[in-house]
């Protein structure tokens, strides 16, 4: 006779929410967010649509017995008369190449460099932390260290630069405390790829 679920002596199997990787992070935790890049995509689409529409209208007009537009006749004449080493031909080719490389860079890079990817506690949850917010948090922790008069923190994707000014205590002691406190603070941010810590401490400059 089976016992009802939840009664004493029974064993219940708890649901498994995720399968972590060996380092304790969820699968795909290191992937960055990709920018939608709506503005460049919209600009490129509008320009291509307008150019294609203009050519299609001119071709349809010629098929209907109307003369070729003046601009297309002039363009064909310029392309036929100018040599490949002409300055305007080279300038146009350079502009087209630059635009093409820019569009390729936008397509192949994630963008959103101001966002730091956080560890994923669950495969269905993704979170990010803004770099200014991370820098403000680290600066607050640095100001709690005895001897720190002021601190300036800049957080990048792979490095956190801390520049502190100490008006008392030995600089080596202040630097050691900052390394400990800020190292723990970076770990508490929950980032998928914690940035390396770089700390510099100096005395305040003389006034006047």
């Amino acid at each position: 006779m089976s016992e009802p679920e939840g009664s004493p002596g029974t064993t219940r199997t708890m649901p498994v929410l995720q399968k972590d990787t060996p380092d304790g992070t969820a699968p795909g935790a290191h992937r960055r967010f990709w920018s939608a890049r709506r503005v460049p995509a919209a600009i490129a689409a509008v320009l291509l649509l307008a150019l294609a529409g203009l050519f299609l209208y001119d071709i349809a007009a010629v098929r209907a017995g109307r003369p070729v537009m003046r601009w297309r006749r002039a363009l064909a004449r310029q392309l036929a008369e100018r040599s490949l080493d002409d300055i305007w031909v080279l300038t146009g080719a350079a502009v087209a190449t630059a635009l093409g490389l820019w569009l390729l860079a936008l397509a192949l890079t994630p963008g959103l460099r101001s966002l730091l990817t956080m560890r994923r506690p669950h495969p269905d949850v993704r979170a990010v932390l803004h770099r200014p917010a991370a820098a403000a948090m680290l600066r607050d922790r640095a100001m709690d260290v005895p001897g720190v008069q002021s601190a300036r923190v800049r957080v990048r994707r792979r490095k956190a630069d801390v520049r502190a000014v100490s008006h008392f205590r030995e600089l080596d002691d202040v630097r050691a405390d900052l390394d400990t406190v800020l190292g723990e603070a970076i770990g508490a941010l929950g980032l998928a790829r914690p940035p390396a810590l770089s700390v510099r401490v100096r005395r305040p400059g003389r006034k006047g």
Side-chain angles (χ1 to χ4, degrees):
M1 180 176 180
S2 62
E3 297 183 42
E5 183 180 3
S7 61
T10 60
T11 302
R12 299 178 59 187
T13 302
M14 300 303 295
V16 178
L17 297 180
Q18 68 178 41
K19 182 179 180 181
D20 290 341
T21 54
D23 61 352
T25 59
H30 299 314
R31 290 183 298 178
R32 293 176 56 191
F33 282 76
W34 280 68
S35 172
R37 302 231 167 80
R38 295 182 178 88
V39 174
I43 292 175
V46 169
L47 292 178
L48 290 176
L49 181 62
L51 185 62
L54 190 60
F55 273 102
L56 287 176
Y57 173 80
D58 190 35
I59 293 174
V62 171
R63 293 290 185 180
R66 301 184 62 180
V68 181
M69 286 186 176
R70 185 181 303 175
W71 66 268
R72 195 153 71 94
R73 189 184 299 113
L75 178 61
R77 185 176 64 254
Q78 291 290 337
L79 293 177
E81 294 176 355
R82 293 183 181 273
S83 60
L84 294 179
D85 58 351
D86 185 83
I87 184 62
W88 290 108
V89 175
L90 295 177
T91 301
V95 172
T97 302
L99 289 176
L101 292 176
W102 178 59
L103 292 176
L104 285 176
L106 292 179
L108 298 177
T109 56
L112 299 178
R113 298 183 62 85
S114 63
L115 302 181
L116 300 173
T117 306
M118 302 182 70
R119 290 192 296 267
R120 299 176 66 177
H122 189 274
D124 297 331
V125 178
R126 296 188 68 190
V128 294
L129 181 65
H130 286 268
R131 288 196 295 175
M137 185 271 209
L138 295 179
R139 181 184 178 279
D140 292 341
R141 294 295 301 272
M143 293 299 297
D144 292 337
V145 174
V148 175
Q149 182 181 20
S150 63
R152 183 166 53 92
V153 180
R154 181 182 180 186
V155 177
R156 292 176 287 184
R157 286 182 51 236
R158 299 182 180 180
K159 191 175 182 181
D161 291 317
V162 180
R163 303 294 179 262
V165 176
S166 176
H167 56 301
F168 72 92
R169 296 184 66 198
E170 293 293 333
L171 295 183
D172 291 339
D173 296 339
V174 176
R175 186 180 299 106
D177 289 348
L178 285 173
D179 286 335
T180 302
V181 171
L182 296 181
E184 295 175 353
I186 290 177
L189 292 177
L191 300 177
R193 293 182 178 179
L197 180 62
S198 174
V199 178
R200 294 183 183 179
V201 184
R202 64 177 178 85
R203 294 297 184 192
R206 294 182 180 180
K207 295 182 179 181

